[in-house]
Amino acid sequence: AGHKEEVRELIEWFAPYQFANGKVPCCVDKRGADPVPENDSHGEWIFLVAEYWRYTRDRATVEKVWPQVEKAVAYMDELRRQRRTEEYRQGDKLKFFGLLPESISHEGYSARPVHSYWDDFFALTGLKDAVELAQALGKTQEAGRWAAIRDEFRADLYASLNRVISEAGIDYIPGSADLADFDATSTTIAISPGGELANLPRPALERTFERFWQEFVRRRGATDWEGYTPYELRVVGTFVRLGWKERAHELLDFFMKDRRPPGWNQWPEVVRRDPRAPGFQGDLPHTWVGSDFIRSFLDLFAYEEQNALVLGAGIPEGWLAQPEGIAVRGLATPWGNLTYTLKRQKEGVRYSIAEGMKIPPEG
């Protein structure tokens, strides 16, 4: 969104709260760093620094927090090694081999910690980004060592994923290795920001989000449901990447009607069918839900896919039916600010992309 200074300030403020062993706290409050074990935050921290780097090329800030990046990588490496012992090479524990240990980072597992793929895909994202940062700073030794950790962890993660799918007899991507549970909203993380769309088992991937769609359609037409979490907004971006843009907009239309209170342009953590019903609704506004909406909405216009920039994949036909088409101005990307217009023209469409940004390596 172009708010670079605010991101830098957050990075520099948060960095000192990292624990001495490299653990990144799940949150910070007036008491300081929270010690609860949540294993998504380590990869998220590195992703934050890498995103800042990609959008700003601010080498000085990255070097300033480089010690925290190193410690976070070391801590994740230590965690995954706890599941690479002989104990986890056989029997029922084989499906946990090489994963991060159990945690409650995913609120759905707060009753009992589990081996959550949510944690693992954030860890993989962090490891990939750590390698990129090391290469950018010319730290070839760290880049090579971390690339080996990244590749081994990815292999272990996918071996576990495929084993759980096979052993549990499921046709979707599970949310955790322990439960083989269905959780499409969590699985989105593997795709964005995880960037693993091309590597996930395709039949299971498509079945996961087809099932989500079917359950959404049922809820949309029913009156017997009580509530849902608008974390589901992040599925919109996944649908765009799968080429399901009409469905993506049906999701958006539904969610936009559930802002609470109406007119506040925000969502609570839980939306209830009856807005007057008493019950838990979490933070309001809920910042993660808000960021899920912003990321998914911007994906309609442009999103990164490896080293390419995909334009207009989520633009519905109705918008292009307008004579003026659509215009995007100054949208920040890792290759500079993007400005373009898109209009319907006879049998196809016409893009006019302004100067001022680099062409991504993959176009």
Side-chain angles (χ1 to χ4, degrees), residues 9-26:
E9 289 178 16
L10 175 64
I11 289 172
E12 293 185 350
W13 173 81
F14 194 86
Y17 288 103
Q18 184 180 33
F19 292 95
N21 64 354
K23 173 183 174 179
V24 177
C26 60

Side-chain angles (χ1 to χ4, degrees), residues 213-228:
W213 170 252
Q214 292 170 359
E215 293 182 359
F216 165 77
V217 170
R218 195 203 76 80
R219 183 177 69 204
R220 183 175 58 179
T223 58
D224 60 348
W225 58 277
E226 293 185 8
Y228 71 92

Side-chain angles (χ1 to χ4, degrees), residues 107 131 146 251 270 308:
E107 284 90 341
V131 173
W146 293 351
L251 290 175
V270 177

Side-chain angles (χ1 to χ4, degrees), residues 42-51 53-54 62 65-66 68-77 122-150:
H42 329 302
E44 288 165 2
W45 160 253
I46 300 172
F47 170 71
L48 170 62
V49 176
E51 278 286 89
W53 162 255
R54 284 187 282 263
V62 175
V65 298
W66 179 253
Q68 282 86 2
V69 171
E70 284 187 299
K71 289 198 296 182
V73 172
Y75 185 70
M76 287 193 296
D77 186 37
F122 267 124
L124 180 58
T125 300
L127 291 171
K128 291 193 291 186
D129 283 342
V131 173
E132 181 181 329
L133 287 171
Q135 292 171 336
L137 298 185
K139 299 181 183 292
T140 55
Q141 184 176 354
E142 289 90 340
R145 182 160 49 84
W146 293 351
I149 295 172
R150 173 202 64 198

